[in-house]
Amino acid sequence: MDKRYEHYCFADRLFYDAPRVSNAPEFEIATRELPAGWRRIPDEEWTTYAPPAERTPAQGWKVHVSGCAESAEQVLNASWKYCLANDICFKHLRGPKTLMLRNAKYAPRGGSGKLVTIYPADEKELERVLNELGALLDGVPGPYILSDLRIGEGPLFVRYGAFGQRHCLDADGEIVPALENAAGELVPDRRTPVFTVPDWVTVPDCLRPHLTARTAASTADLPYRVDRALHFSNGGGVYAATDTRTGEQVVLKEGRPYAGLSGDGADAVTRLERERAMLTRLAGVPGVPGVRDHFTLGGHSFLVLEFIEGRPLNSFFAERHPMIDPEPTPEQFAGYTAWARRVLDGVEQVVAGIHERGVVVNDLHMFNIMVRPDDSVALIDFEVAALIEENRRQALASPAFAAPADRRGLDVDRYSLACLRLALFMPLTMLLVFDRGKARQLADLAAERFPLPPGFLDGAVAEITRGVSPRPAPRLDPADWEHARTRLSRAVLASATPDRTDRLFPGDIVQFHGAALGVAHGAAGVLHALHATGAGRFPEHEAWLLRRVADPPPGVGLGLYDGLLGAAHVLAEFGHLDAAHDLAGRCLGERWERLGTDLYGGLPGWALVLDHLADRTGDRDLRDAAQRAADLVTERRDAPRRPRPGLLYGESGAALMYLRRYERTGDAALLDLAAAALRRDLAGCVVDRNDALQADEGFRKLPYIRRGSVGIGLVLDDYLALRPDGPDGEFTTARDRIRRAALSHFYGQPGLFSGRAGMLLHLARQDAGDDRAARHIRDLAWHALPYEGGLAFPGDQLYRLSTDLATGTAGVLLALGAALHDRPVTLPFLAAHRPPARSDAGSASTPGGR
């Protein structure tokens, strides 16, 4: 679960969206009159104040002032007066709501605690700020800022980092804030929850005593030895430890003061105290961990608990659930059903014992259920538990198990238990956030596949759907392409926001970090999918894209999938050649030769797009730039890199570039380079228990397009269409094993780049009439949700709907088109394999046809 997404769930109930930027200030100081020459600059999270004379460097030692709800006014007043009096640039969070979100339990740990940021002009001014403002705010409470060095015992912290808006690509090809290193190169400004100093930076003398004090902190006097970290949140860590007095294994739970806030405003320390009180009340209940001790260290609270041997319930899914396999047997379904029912019975017994003591768990989900080696269960994490008599609503919960707002007290646990009963068989209860009526569809799907007693899930459905009117489950019929295309395109078009300048179609959260124009997550990709599948051309939306690329926002990506060159490619395909040519020329004015060798935003995409535009325009400069981009990829092919096999971030993107250049030039050496690139990607894959080939990231194995083996398989197909396999059948064997990775019965997400739609695209390019492709089409309806008379799909993490190509409805539409449309449909620059003729395929003469 990626905690970054939570921040983008508050502004809109259906779609990921940035927090609203309002002209109305939230903190009182934002209404104050500024001295002459000062400027107030608001954005979505911060309000910045710039002095008349700009003295702020591009990077350096910045001062962060920590604050909480109780201290915010005092911190803001002191910072305002000091910075204005000394002509120092500073900024503060926009208001109390933003402050709470920044300090929430699952907020990013690296940025938590910061209320004010101050930008000293040099190290002398840094020292003055620390001495003078530090004295004004000494003893004021606030969260510890984990990314920074604390100054004394007050709320001031420092970190070396970027001041201005500079960006570069990180190891994953993502655009991130950047610093300039000693060699003048832009490198990622790493904002981790640990204080670090770049290796080319010298720590000023004024900071050395504080650095010494920080390193002197020790747990040596405690009677516990920390063995490993189990979990981190913004509220603190959870650690496996040993009591050195007895040798007993224990768990240490940390609570950071003023941090890790829940919906009721309680911080991690408050919740830890609540957990101790609840566990003390529940002492002796089977399946509830016992309290061993509690103490305070460095201002942080710790609770010492009995160690529960076992694993969280969610961790069993990949290895036990039969629908992960391509060809599950009845015996597998029966064995899993028996195990799941034992676990469910155990959980219900533990919860019943807790209720008998007058306590509601209030946060029951798969991560908080431990399964022991003998399949008995225990519950952990009682920090939001409450007395039944208090009849509380949930203040903190996993969205897939979170009760509706009208459920209180015991009804909260009853709802979560009902979700658990469903999720053990069809783990898609996240969709209930959008439509609780979906529970009936999930229960019916489970009953069709698992040998459950009649009506086993009916009670769970009744509990979940209480007060919800039933409606038919969404369906996708492989025999009715036109109906499917109409419903998906209707949802996509209904979601459009042409009045906004930051995005046209709602999609993934990266739209708000420079990707709102490109193919993967932006307008260009959605318009490509609509056009390629015969859903039509939409001049109003093309005009929006033309306006935005003519004046692109700061930080926008430059590549094929992440930004401007992808937009240029789509605009050229639509006939807007002058605009595409101008856009490519502007991109070439950037420092593009520093881009990475990935297809997503790097040089292979540049070579592909520029060659294509050169074909269309006859511009020799574009051709030369395409050659230079390809040469740079070749020169860097032996550079060390993180193993990230797949189409977008792995070597397969370079292989695709070589294949298309071979078709242009006939140079067989390019096929050799493509083969070598594919081998490097395949070397990062492993064969699983089903003889399927998946990308190995060490802690997980992935079959997907974005990162995974199917992305490699797409390019392997194109390679084998141009050159027969060698006598050892190396690539043919890999291709067959990758195909097996695309045949599972269950995928957690529906999207094109990281879900079932990508599997469908892969199979459809090989044989659109394959029964297993038809099964994927039907099963995509598991994730489908009604929206504005059409069908929409949730994006990554399933928290909100998405309509972009990479994660949302447009990508599902493209995959369906690859299997069902009467003309070839695929991703840019992959070979357009034509599927076998189908009697039920849509006709080009039908409304919306191409």
Side-chain angles (χ1 to χ4, degrees), residues 324-397:
I324 296 296
D325 293 350
E327 298 170 1
T329 65
E331 291 75 20
Q332 283 178 279
F333 278 101
Y336 177 84
T337 301
W339 174 82
R341 291 185 64 185
R342 287 197 303 274
V343 169
L344 183 61
D345 287 345
V347 173
E348 291 177 340
Q349 289 172 20
V350 175
V351 172
I354 292 168
H355 289 174
E356 288 176 4
R357 294 284 183 94
V359 174
V360 179
V361 179
N362 259 341
D363 190 21
L364 182 68
H365 57 81
M366 286 194 177
F367 289 84
N368 287 348
I369 299 170
M370 297 293 290
V371 181
R372 298 186 178 99
D374 64 358
D375 289 344
S376 65
V377 300
L379 304 190
I380 58 173
D381 201 350
F382 287 80
E383 61 183 38
V384 293
L387 299 178
I388 293 174
E389 62 197 42
E390 294 174 331
N391 204 36
R392 289 187 183 182
R393 286 177 52 186
Q394 283 178 298
L396 196 68

Coordinates of all heavy atoms in Angstrom, one line a residue, residues 324-397:
I324 N -4.5 -17.2 -8.1 CA -3.2 -16.7 -8.5 C -2.7 -17.5 -9.6 O -2.0 -17.1 -10.5 CB -2.2 -16.5 -7.4 CG1 -2.7 -15.5 -6.3 CG2 -0.9 -16.2 -7.9 CD1 -2.8 -14.1 -6.9
D325 N -3.0 -18.8 -9.6 CA -2.4 -19.8 -10.5 C -3.1 -19.7 -11.9 O -4.3 -19.5 -12.0 CB -2.5 -21.2 -10.0 CG -1.6 -21.4 -8.8 OD1 -0.8 -20.5 -8.5 OD2 -1.8 -22.4 -8.1
P326 N -2.4 -20.1 -13.0 CA -3.1 -20.1 -14.3 C -4.1 -21.2 -14.4 O -5.1 -21.0 -15.1 CB -1.9 -20.3 -15.3 CG -0.7 -20.0 -14.5 CD -1.0 -20.3 -13.1
E327 N -3.9 -22.4 -13.8 CA -4.8 -23.5 -13.9 C -5.0 -24.1 -12.6 O -4.6 -25.3 -12.3 CB -4.2 -24.5 -14.9 CG -3.9 -24.0 -16.3 CD -3.1 -24.9 -17.2 OE1 -2.7 -26.0 -16.7 OE2 -2.8 -24.6 -18.3
P328 N -5.8 -23.5 -11.7 CA -6.0 -24.0 -10.4 C -6.9 -25.2 -10.4 O -7.8 -25.4 -11.3 CB -6.7 -22.9 -9.6 CG -7.4 -22.0 -10.7 CD -6.4 -22.2 -11.9
T329 N -6.7 -26.2 -9.5 CA -7.4 -27.4 -9.5 C -8.5 -27.3 -8.5 O -8.5 -26.5 -7.5 CB -6.5 -28.6 -9.1 OG1 -6.0 -28.4 -7.8 CG2 -5.3 -28.7 -10.1
P330 N -9.5 -28.2 -8.6 CA -10.6 -28.3 -7.5 C -10.0 -28.5 -6.1 O -10.5 -28.0 -5.1 CB -11.5 -29.4 -8.0 CG -11.3 -29.5 -9.5 CD -9.9 -29.1 -9.7
E331 N -8.9 -29.3 -6.1 CA -8.3 -29.6 -4.8 C -7.7 -28.3 -4.2 O -7.7 -28.1 -3.0 CB -7.2 -30.7 -5.0 CG -7.7 -32.1 -5.3 CD -8.2 -32.2 -6.8 OE1 -7.8 -31.3 -7.6 OE2 -8.9 -33.1 -7.1
Q332 N -7.1 -27.5 -5.0 CA -6.6 -26.2 -4.5 C -7.7 -25.3 -3.9 O -7.5 -24.8 -2.9 CB -5.8 -25.5 -5.6 CG -4.5 -26.0 -6.0 CD -3.8 -25.2 -7.1 OE1 -4.1 -25.5 -8.3 NE2 -3.0 -24.3 -6.8
F333 N -8.8 -25.3 -4.7 CA -9.9 -24.5 -4.2 C -10.4 -25.0 -2.8 O -10.8 -24.3 -1.9 CB -11.0 -24.4 -5.2 CG -10.8 -23.4 -6.3 CD1 -10.3 -23.7 -7.5 CD2 -11.1 -22.0 -6.0 CE1 -10.1 -22.8 -8.5 CE2 -10.9 -21.1 -7.0 CZ -10.4 -21.5 -8.3
A334 N -10.5 -26.4 -2.8 CA -11.1 -27.0 -1.5 C -10.1 -26.8 -0.4 O -10.5 -26.5 0.8 CB -11.3 -28.5 -1.8
G335 N -8.8 -26.9 -0.6 CA -7.8 -26.8 0.5 C -7.8 -25.3 1.0 O -7.7 -25.1 2.2
Y336 N -7.8 -24.4 0.0 CA -7.8 -23.0 0.5 C -9.1 -22.6 1.2 O -9.0 -21.9 2.2 CB -7.7 -22.0 -0.8 CG -7.8 -20.6 -0.4 CD1 -6.6 -19.9 0.1 CD2 -9.0 -19.9 -0.4 CE1 -6.7 -18.6 0.5 CE2 -9.0 -18.6 0.0 CZ -7.9 -17.9 0.5 OH -7.9 -16.6 0.9
T337 N -10.2 -23.1 0.8 CA -11.5 -22.8 1.5 C -11.5 -23.3 2.9 O -11.9 -22.6 3.8 CB -12.7 -23.5 0.7 OG1 -12.7 -22.9 -0.6 CG2 -14.0 -23.2 1.4
A338 N -11.0 -24.5 3.1 CA -10.9 -25.1 4.4 C -10.0 -24.2 5.3 O -10.3 -23.9 6.5 CB -10.4 -26.5 4.4
W339 N -8.8 -23.8 4.8 CA -7.9 -23.0 5.6 C -8.6 -21.6 5.9 O -8.5 -21.2 7.0 CB -6.6 -22.8 4.8 CG -5.7 -21.8 5.4 CD1 -4.8 -22.1 6.4 CD2 -5.5 -20.4 5.1 NE1 -4.1 -21.0 6.7 CE2 -4.5 -20.0 5.9 CE3 -6.1 -19.6 4.2 CZ2 -4.1 -18.6 5.9 CZ3 -5.7 -18.3 4.1 CH2 -4.7 -17.8 5.0
A340 N -9.2 -21.0 4.9 CA -9.8 -19.7 5.1 C -10.9 -19.7 6.1 O -11.0 -18.8 7.0 CB -10.3 -19.1 3.8
R341 N -11.7 -20.8 6.1 CA -12.7 -20.9 7.1 C -12.2 -21.1 8.5 O -12.8 -20.6 9.5 CB -13.7 -22.0 6.7 CG -14.5 -21.7 5.4 CD -15.5 -22.8 5.1 NE -16.5 -22.9 6.2 CZ -17.5 -23.8 6.2 NH1 -17.5 -24.8 5.3 NH2 -18.4 -23.8 7.2
R342 N -11.1 -21.8 8.6 CA -10.5 -22.0 10.0 C -10.0 -20.6 10.5 O -10.2 -20.3 11.6 CB -9.3 -23.0 9.9 CG -9.6 -24.4 9.7 CD -8.5 -25.3 10.1 NE -7.3 -25.1 9.3 CZ -7.0 -25.6 8.1 NH1 -7.9 -26.4 7.6 NH2 -5.9 -25.4 7.5
V343 N -9.3 -19.9 9.6 CA -8.8 -18.6 10.0 C -10.0 -17.7 10.4 O -10.0 -17.0 11.4 CB -8.0 -17.9 8.9 CG1 -7.7 -16.5 9.1 CG2 -6.7 -18.7 8.7
L344 N -11.0 -17.7 9.6 CA -12.2 -16.8 9.8 C -12.9 -17.2 11.2 O -13.2 -16.3 12.0 CB -13.2 -16.9 8.7 CG -14.5 -16.0 8.8 CD1 -14.1 -14.6 8.8 CD2 -15.4 -16.4 7.6
D345 N -13.0 -18.5 11.4 CA -13.6 -18.9 12.7 C -12.7 -18.4 13.9 O -13.2 -18.0 14.9 CB -13.7 -20.4 12.7 CG -14.8 -21.0 11.9 OD1 -15.7 -20.2 11.4 OD2 -14.8 -22.2 11.6
G346 N -11.4 -18.5 13.7 CA -10.5 -18.1 14.8 C -10.6 -16.6 15.0 O -10.7 -16.1 16.2
V347 N -10.7 -15.8 14.0 CA -10.8 -14.3 14.1 C -12.2 -14.0 14.8 O -12.2 -13.2 15.8 CB -10.8 -13.6 12.8 CG1 -11.1 -12.1 12.9 CG2 -9.4 -13.8 12.1
E348 N -13.2 -14.7 14.4 CA -14.5 -14.4 15.0 C -14.6 -14.8 16.5 O -15.2 -14.1 17.3 CB -15.6 -15.1 14.3 CG -15.9 -14.5 12.8 CD -16.9 -15.3 12.0 OE1 -17.2 -16.5 12.4 OE2 -17.4 -14.7 11.1
Q349 N -13.8 -15.8 16.9 CA -13.8 -16.2 18.3 C -13.0 -15.2 19.1 O -13.4 -14.8 20.2 CB -13.1 -17.6 18.4 CG -14.0 -18.7 17.9 CD -13.3 -20.0 17.9 OE1 -12.2 -20.2 18.6 NE2 -13.7 -21.0 17.1
V350 N -11.9 -14.7 18.5 CA -11.1 -13.7 19.3 C -11.9 -12.4 19.4 O -12.0 -11.8 20.5 CB -9.8 -13.4 18.5 CG1 -9.0 -12.2 19.2 CG2 -8.9 -14.6 18.5
V351 N -12.6 -12.0 18.4 CA -13.4 -10.7 18.4 C -14.5 -10.9 19.4 O -14.8 -10.0 20.2 CB -13.9 -10.4 17.0 CG1 -14.9 -9.2 17.1 CG2 -12.8 -10.0 16.1
A352 N -15.1 -12.1 19.5 CA -16.2 -12.3 20.4 C -15.7 -12.2 21.9 O -16.3 -11.6 22.7 CB -16.8 -13.7 20.2
G353 N -14.5 -12.7 22.1 CA -13.9 -12.6 23.5 C -13.6 -11.1 23.8 O -13.8 -10.7 25.0
I354 N -13.2 -10.4 22.8 CA -12.9 -8.9 23.1 C -14.2 -8.2 23.4 O -14.3 -7.4 24.3 CB -12.2 -8.3 21.8 CG1 -10.8 -8.9 21.7 CG2 -12.2 -6.8 21.9 CD1 -10.1 -8.6 20.4
H355 N -15.3 -8.5 22.6 CA -16.6 -7.9 22.9 C -17.1 -8.2 24.2 O -17.8 -7.4 24.9 CB -17.6 -8.3 21.8 CG -17.3 -7.7 20.4 ND1 -18.0 -8.1 19.3 CD2 -16.4 -6.8 20.0 CE1 -17.5 -7.4 18.3 NE2 -16.5 -6.6 18.7
E356 N -16.9 -9.5 24.7 CA -17.4 -9.8 26.0 C -16.7 -9.0 27.1 O -17.3 -8.8 28.2 CB -17.0 -11.3 26.3 CG -17.9 -12.3 25.5 CD -17.5 -13.7 25.7 OE1 -16.6 -14.0 26.5 OE2 -18.1 -14.6 25.0
R357 N -15.5 -8.4 26.9 CA -14.9 -7.6 27.8 C -15.3 -6.1 27.7 O -14.7 -5.2 28.3 CB -13.3 -7.7 27.7 CG -12.8 -9.0 28.1 CD -12.7 -9.2 29.6 NE -12.1 -10.5 29.9 CZ -10.8 -10.7 30.2 NH1 -10.0 -9.7 30.1 NH2 -10.3 -11.9 30.4
G358 N -16.3 -5.9 26.8 CA -16.8 -4.5 26.6 C -16.0 -3.6 25.7 O -16.1 -2.4 25.8
V359 N -15.2 -4.2 24.8 CA -14.3 -3.5 23.9 C -14.6 -3.7 22.4 O -14.9 -4.8 22.0 CB -12.8 -3.8 24.2 CG1 -11.9 -3.1 23.2 CG2 -12.4 -3.5 25.6
V360 N -14.5 -2.6 21.6 CA -14.6 -2.7 20.2 C -13.3 -2.6 19.6 O -12.5 -1.7 20.0 CB -15.6 -1.6 19.6 CG1 -15.7 -1.7 18.1 CG2 -16.9 -1.7 20.2
V361 N -12.9 -3.4 18.6 CA -11.5 -3.4 18.0 C -11.4 -2.1 17.2 O -10.3 -1.4 17.3 CB -11.3 -4.6 17.1 CG1 -9.9 -4.5 16.4 CG2 -11.4 -5.9 17.9
N362 N -12.4 -1.7 16.4 CA -12.4 -0.5 15.6 C -11.4 -0.4 14.5 O -11.4 0.6 13.8 CB -12.2 0.7 16.6 CG -13.5 1.4 16.9 OD1 -14.5 1.2 16.2 ND2 -13.5 2.2 18.0
D363 N -10.6 -1.4 14.3 CA -9.6 -1.3 13.2 C -9.2 -2.7 12.8 O -8.0 -3.1 12.8 CB -8.4 -0.5 13.6 CG -7.5 -0.2 12.4 OD1 -8.0 -0.3 11.2 OD2 -6.3 0.1 12.6
L364 N -10.2 -3.5 12.4 CA -10.0 -4.9 12.1 C -9.7 -5.0 10.6 O -10.6 -4.6 9.7 CB -11.2 -5.7 12.5 CG -11.1 -7.2 12.2 CD1 -10.1 -7.9 13.1 CD2 -12.5 -7.9 12.5
H365 N -8.6 -5.6 10.2 CA -8.3 -5.8 8.8 C -7.2 -6.8 8.7 O -6.6 -7.2 9.7 CB -7.9 -4.5 8.0 CG -6.8 -3.7 8.6 ND1 -5.5 -4.0 8.4 CD2 -6.8 -2.7 9.5 CE1 -4.7 -3.2 9.0 NE2 -5.5 -2.4 9.7
M366 N -6.8 -7.2 7.4 CA -5.9 -8.3 7.2 C -4.5 -8.1 7.7 O -3.8 -9.0 8.1 CB -5.8 -8.7 5.7 CG -7.1 -9.4 5.2 SD -6.8 -10.2 3.6 CE -8.3 -11.0 3.3
F367 N -4.1 -6.8 7.8 CA -2.7 -6.5 8.3 C -2.6 -6.6 9.8 O -1.6 -6.8 10.4 CB -2.3 -5.1 7.9 CG -2.0 -4.9 6.4 CD1 -3.1 -4.7 5.5 CD2 -0.7 -5.0 5.9 CE1 -2.8 -4.6 4.2 CE2 -0.5 -4.9 4.6 CZ -1.5 -4.7 3.7
N368 N -3.8 -6.5 10.5 CA -3.8 -6.6 12.0 C -4.2 -8.0 12.5 O -4.4 -8.1 13.7 CB -4.8 -5.6 12.5 CG -4.2 -4.1 12.4 OD1 -3.1 -4.0 12.1 ND2 -5.1 -3.2 12.6
I369 N -4.3 -9.0 11.6 CA -4.6 -10.3 12.0 C -3.3 -11.2 11.8 O -2.8 -11.3 10.7 CB -5.8 -10.9 11.2 CG1 -7.0 -10.1 11.4 CG2 -6.0 -12.4 11.5 CD1 -8.2 -10.4 10.5
M370 N -2.8 -11.8 12.9 CA -1.6 -12.6 12.8 C -2.1 -14.1 12.7 O -2.9 -14.5 13.6 CB -0.7 -12.4 14.0 CG -0.2 -10.9 14.1 SD 1.0 -10.5 12.7 CE 2.4 -11.6 13.1
V371 N -1.5 -14.8 11.8 CA -1.8 -16.2 11.7 C -0.5 -17.0 12.1 O 0.5 -16.8 11.6 CB -2.1 -16.6 10.2 CG1 -2.5 -18.1 10.2 CG2 -3.3 -15.8 9.7
R372 N -0.7 -17.8 13.2 CA 0.4 -18.5 13.7 C 0.7 -19.8 12.9 O -0.1 -20.1 12.0 CB 0.1 -19.0 15.2 CG -0.1 -17.8 16.2 CD -0.3 -18.4 17.6 NE -0.5 -17.4 18.6 CZ -1.6 -17.0 19.1 NH1 -2.8 -17.6 18.6 NH2 -1.7 -16.1 20.0
P373 N 1.8 -20.4 13.1 CA 2.2 -21.6 12.3 C 1.1 -22.7 12.4 O 1.0 -23.5 11.4 CB 3.5 -22.1 12.9 CG 4.1 -20.8 13.4 CD 3.0 -20.0 13.9
D374 N 0.4 -22.8 13.5 CA -0.7 -23.8 13.6 C -2.0 -23.3 13.1 O -3.0 -24.0 13.3 CB -0.8 -24.3 15.0 CG -1.2 -23.2 16.0 OD1 -1.4 -22.0 15.5 OD2 -1.4 -23.5 17.2
D375 N -2.0 -22.2 12.4 CA -3.2 -21.6 11.8 C -4.2 -20.9 12.8 O -5.2 -20.4 12.5 CB -4.0 -22.5 10.9 CG -3.4 -22.9 9.6 OD1 -2.4 -22.1 9.3 OD2 -3.7 -23.9 9.0
S376 N -3.8 -20.9 14.1 CA -4.6 -20.2 15.1 C -4.2 -18.7 14.9 O -3.2 -18.3 14.2 CB -4.2 -20.6 16.5 OG -2.9 -20.3 16.8
V377 N -5.1 -17.8 15.4 CA -4.9 -16.4 15.0 C -4.8 -15.5 16.3 O -5.3 -15.9 17.4 CB -6.1 -15.9 14.2 CG1 -6.2 -16.6 12.9 CG2 -7.4 -15.9 14.9
A378 N -4.3 -14.4 16.1 CA -4.2 -13.3 17.2 C -4.4 -12.0 16.5 O -4.2 -11.8 15.3 CB -2.9 -13.4 17.9
L379 N -4.9 -11.0 17.2 CA -5.1 -9.7 16.7 C -4.0 -8.8 17.3 O -3.7 -8.9 18.5 CB -6.5 -9.1 17.1 CG -7.7 -9.9 16.6 CD1 -9.0 -9.1 16.9 CD2 -7.6 -10.3 15.2
I380 N -3.6 -7.8 16.5 CA -2.6 -6.8 17.0 C -3.1 -5.4 16.7 O -4.1 -5.3 15.9 CB -1.2 -7.0 16.4 CG1 -1.3 -6.9 14.8 CG2 -0.6 -8.4 16.8 CD1 0.0 -7.0 14.1
D381 N -2.5 -4.4 17.3 CA -2.8 -3.0 17.0 C -4.2 -2.6 17.6 O -5.2 -2.6 16.9 CB -2.8 -2.7 15.5 CG -2.6 -1.3 15.2 OD1 -2.7 -0.5 16.2 OD2 -2.3 -0.9 14.1
F382 N -4.2 -2.3 18.8 CA -5.4 -1.9 19.5 C -5.4 -0.4 19.8 O -6.1 0.1 20.8 CB -5.6 -2.7 20.8 CG -6.0 -4.1 20.6 CD1 -5.1 -5.1 20.2 CD2 -7.3 -4.5 20.7 CE1 -5.4 -6.4 20.0 CE2 -7.7 -5.8 20.5 CZ -6.8 -6.8 20.1
E383 N -4.7 0.4 19.0 CA -4.5 1.8 19.4 C -5.8 2.7 19.2 O -5.9 3.8 19.7 CB -3.4 2.4 18.6 CG -3.5 2.4 17.1 CD -2.3 3.0 16.5 OE1 -1.2 2.7 16.9 OE2 -2.4 3.7 15.5
V384 N -6.8 2.2 18.4 CA -8.0 2.9 18.3 C -9.2 2.1 18.9 O -10.3 2.5 18.7 CB -8.3 3.3 16.8 CG1 -7.3 4.3 16.3 CG2 -8.4 2.0 15.9
A385 N -8.9 1.1 19.6 CA -10.0 0.3 20.3 C -10.6 1.2 21.3 O -10.1 2.2 21.8 CB -9.4 -0.9 21.0
A386 N -11.9 0.9 21.6 CA -12.7 1.8 22.5 C -13.7 0.9 23.2 O -14.0 -0.2 22.8 CB -13.4 2.8 21.7
L387 N -14.2 1.5 24.3 CA -15.3 0.8 25.0 C -16.6 0.8 24.2 O -16.9 1.8 23.6 CB -15.5 1.5 26.4 CG -14.3 1.5 27.3 CD1 -14.7 2.2 28.6 CD2 -13.8 0.1 27.7
I388 N -17.3 -0.3 24.3 CA -18.5 -0.4 23.6 C -19.5 0.7 24.0 O -20.2 1.3 23.1 CB -19.2 -1.8 23.8 CG1 -18.3 -2.9 23.2 CG2 -20.6 -1.9 23.3 CD1 -18.8 -4.3 23.5
E389 N -19.5 1.0 25.2 CA -20.5 2.0 25.8 C -20.2 3.4 25.2 O -21.1 4.2 25.2 CB -20.4 2.0 27.3 CG -19.1 2.4 27.8 CD -18.9 2.1 29.3 OE1 -19.2 1.0 29.7 OE2 -18.3 3.0 30.0
E390 N -19.0 3.6 24.7 CA -18.7 4.9 24.1 C -19.4 5.1 22.8 O -19.5 6.3 22.3 CB -17.2 5.1 24.0 CG -16.5 5.2 25.3 CD -15.0 5.2 25.2 OE1 -14.4 4.7 24.2 OE2 -14.3 5.8 26.1
N391 N -19.7 4.0 22.1 CA -20.4 4.1 20.8 C -19.8 5.0 19.8 O -20.4 5.8 19.2 CB -21.9 4.5 21.1 CG -22.8 4.0 20.0 OD1 -22.6 2.9 19.4 ND2 -23.8 4.8 19.6
R392 N -18.5 4.8 19.6 CA -17.7 5.7 18.8 C -17.8 5.3 17.3 O -18.0 4.2 17.0 CB -16.2 5.7 19.2 CG -15.9 6.3 20.5 CD -14.4 6.3 20.6 NE -13.9 6.8 21.9 CZ -12.6 7.0 22.2 NH1 -11.7 6.6 21.4 NH2 -12.3 7.5 23.4
R393 N -17.5 6.3 16.4 CA -17.2 6.0 15.0 C -15.7 5.7 14.9 O -14.9 6.0 15.8 CB -17.5 7.3 14.2 CG -19.0 7.5 14.0 CD -19.2 8.8 13.2 NE -18.5 8.8 11.9 CZ -18.4 9.8 11.1 NH1 -19.1 10.9 11.4 NH2 -17.7 9.8 10.0
Q394 N -15.3 5.2 13.8 CA -13.9 4.9 13.5 C -13.2 6.2 13.3 O -13.6 7.1 12.6 CB -13.7 4.0 12.3 CG -14.0 2.6 12.5 CD -13.9 1.8 11.3 OE1 -14.6 2.0 10.3 NE2 -12.9 0.8 11.3
A395 N -12.0 6.3 13.9 CA -11.1 7.5 13.7 C -9.9 7.2 12.7 O -9.3 8.1 12.2 CB -10.6 8.0 15.0
L396 N -9.7 5.9 12.6 CA -8.5 5.4 11.8 C -8.9 4.0 11.3 O -9.3 3.2 12.1 CB -7.3 5.4 12.6 CG -5.9 5.4 12.0 CD1 -5.6 6.6 11.2 CD2 -4.8 5.1 13.0
A397 N -8.8 3.8 10.0 CA -9.1 2.4 9.5 C -8.6 2.2 8.1 O -8.3 3.1 7.4 CB -10.7 2.3 9.5

